[in-house]
Amino acid sequence: MPGARLVSTPVTVEDSLEGINEAFYEKGWTDGLPIVPPTEGRIRRIADYVRRDPSEVVALVPPAGGEATIEKIAINAVMAGCLPEYMPVLVAAVEAMAEPRFNLNGIQATTNPVAPLTIINGPIRKELDINCGSNALGQGWRANATIGRAVRLVLVNIGGGLPGAVDKATLGMPGKYTFCLGENEEESPWEPLHVERGLSRETSAVTVVGASGTSNVAASYLNARVLLSCIASAMAFLGSNNWPYGGEPLVIFCPSHAAILAKEGYTKEKIKLALYERTLRPVSDFEPEYLDKLLRRGKKVVDGRVPLVFRPEDIMVVVAGGPGGIHSTVLATFGETWAVTRPVARPI
């Protein structure tokens, strides 16, 4: 509700940008980069946009179980540099991450370099100028950068995911700063991710994926058979998280690769089946101790081969990126996490 009282305890710090950033850094409230000072006016401007009570609890964020109220989400959105219009997307992302199947508790505390990847679908992509095309996972786009960064700050400041103390990532990865893109629905020959997951095309939505980093697949305008073999090879390296856990590895096809597959009659279902079959590896590829671990975690040997995932439909397919490219991307997922999709609630 616009104008409702804010309840967070004010913090008094030196009245300079340098002093504010130093104080916030010392308290562990940042991601290491400078933040936008969350003054009451800035917080209210973002919190008021969603027209909800600032004290409303959206979710409890593991592992600390902190209350992600509208106000506290807004504070982190301010710090990340978000515009008020981004707030509904951020709220939906927090709701999605808090779903038990996403296993945010595990994601926050593991030694794995996992981070929530936020995928945005629907009309809101255009309204917010979300980058779905060239360099969609790279720098230079305010909406992608600040929404992804706000997600990280929520995980730290509300969920308690402090690096070293709770976040035990052995090395981490750049996606732990910001990890957000839109699907290039206009260049995709298939139904968008949110439609595949049960929503209408006209609905704006957020999908969170527990991804462990990106692996580029360079394939110069080949046929579908060779392209799928290249993708499968990148997915099925022996160190992938998806061997012991199954999970939902994500393939982000660039538009040119998607066009090659569609021209040869490949639907998403056919792609997933083809990748499932191509990622089967013979038992002889695995050391006995590792194979035993896979079998104890529920993997089955199929005609002398081991599957990367439990079912073909567990493989996720998205289209993003710019025109004329030869690069697609494969992302392994963290252990026991499953993607969650939530619609974006528009302000009433």
Side-chain angles (χ1 to χ4, degrees):
M1 294 179 289
R5 185 172 67 91
L6 302 180
V7 298
S8 296
T9 303
V11 176
T12 302
V13 297
E14 178 187 324
D15 188 16
S16 71
L17 188 60
E18 294 80 7
I20 292 168
N21 271 284
E22 190 62 30
F24 274 55
Y25 178 74
E26 288 178 354
K27 292 180 180 294
W29 294 342
T30 78
D31 53 8
L33 295 171
I35 55 93
V36 176
T39 61
E40 181 176 350
R42 291 188 178 115
I43 297 167
R44 184 174 297 284
R45 181 166 169 254
I46 286 187
D48 283 355
Y49 184 82
V50 293
R51 307 186 67 81
R52 292 160 69 171
D53 190 324
S55 64
E56 177 188 341
V57 178
V58 172
L60 302 181
V61 184
E67 292 186 345
T69 63
I70 293 294
E71 179 179 340
K72 290 188 182 299
I73 295 172
I75 291 170
N76 288 280
V78 170
M79 291 169 62
C82 289
L83 297 180
E85 294 83 356
Y86 303 166
M87 185 65 172
V89 171
L90 186 54
V91 169
V94 172
E95 291 173 339
M97 290 189 298
E99 290 284 340
R101 65 183 272 109
F102 190 63
N103 188 19
L104 186 56
N105 190 69
I107 287 172
Q108 285 268 65
T110 182
T111 56
N112 194 279
V114 62
L117 166 63
T118 302
I119 304 173
I120 302 172
N121 281 102
I124 204 165
R125 297 169 305 123
K126 299 298 183 182
E127 297 168 21
L128 302 186
D129 197 23
I130 302 290
N131 189 6
C132 311
S134 299
N135 209 38
L137 278 175
Q139 81 289 358
W141 225 269
R142 176 167 57 184
N144 299 48
T146 60
I147 291 171
R149 187 186 186 196
V151 166
R152 171 54 51 189
L153 291 176
V154 165
L155 297 184
V156 170
N157 294 324
I158 304 178
L162 295 170
V166 173
D167 181 345
K168 297 294 186 179
T170 304
L171 284 172
M173 63 149 179
K176 291 172 76 75
Y177 280 101
T178 182
F179 213 10
C180 174
L181 84 163
E183 182 166 11
N184 193 339
E185 298 177 20
E186 291 73 21
E187 298 296 327
S188 174
W190 310 301
E191 62 182 10
L193 179 64
H194 70 309
V195 175
E196 184 184 357
R197 297 175 69 86
L199 298 177
S200 70
R201 186 178 286 269
E202 295 73 28
T203 299
S204 293
V206 167
T207 300
V208 291
V209 180
S212 291
T214 62
S215 180
N216 183 63
V217 180
S220 301
Y221 300 102
L222 303 170
N223 59 42
R225 176 178 55 82
V226 178
L227 174 57
L228 289 170
S229 293
C230 290
I231 294 287
S233 177
M235 294 172 64
F237 68 98
L238 285 178
S240 170
N241 291 330
N242 296 121
W243 281 115
Y245 296 101
E248 296 174 295
L250 171 64
V251 182
I252 303 178
F253 285 106
C254 67
S256 58
H257 284 168
I260 290 170
L261 294 167
K263 185 177 180 180
E264 296 191 33
Y266 277 88
T267 61
K268 278 192 176 184
E269 291 72 22
K270 286 186 65 176
I271 290 170
K272 294 178 182 185
L273 179 59
L275 290 175
Y276 175 84
E277 292 172 343
R278 283 170 169 79
T279 52
L280 288 162
R281 294 192 63 153
V283 169
S284 59
D285 283 355
F286 301 90
E287 296 294 336
E289 302 91 335
Y290 193 31
L291 178 61
D292 180 63
K293 178 180 180 179
L294 304 188
L295 297 178
R296 283 188 284 108
R297 288 189 175 275
K299 290 294 183 71
K300 305 292 184 183
V301 176
V302 180
D303 296 328
R305 297 181 297 170
V306 182
L308 177 68
V309 294
F310 290 103
R311 309 174 303 162
E313 50 266 40
D314 291 339
I315 298 170
M316 299 178 65
V317 172
V318 166
V319 176
I326 63 170
H327 302 279
S328 290
T329 294
V330 169
L331 300 91
T333 52
F334 168 70
E336 297 165 314
T337 179
W338 299 89
V340 176
T341 298
R342 292 295 296 263
V344 176
R346 302 304 188 103
I348 299 174

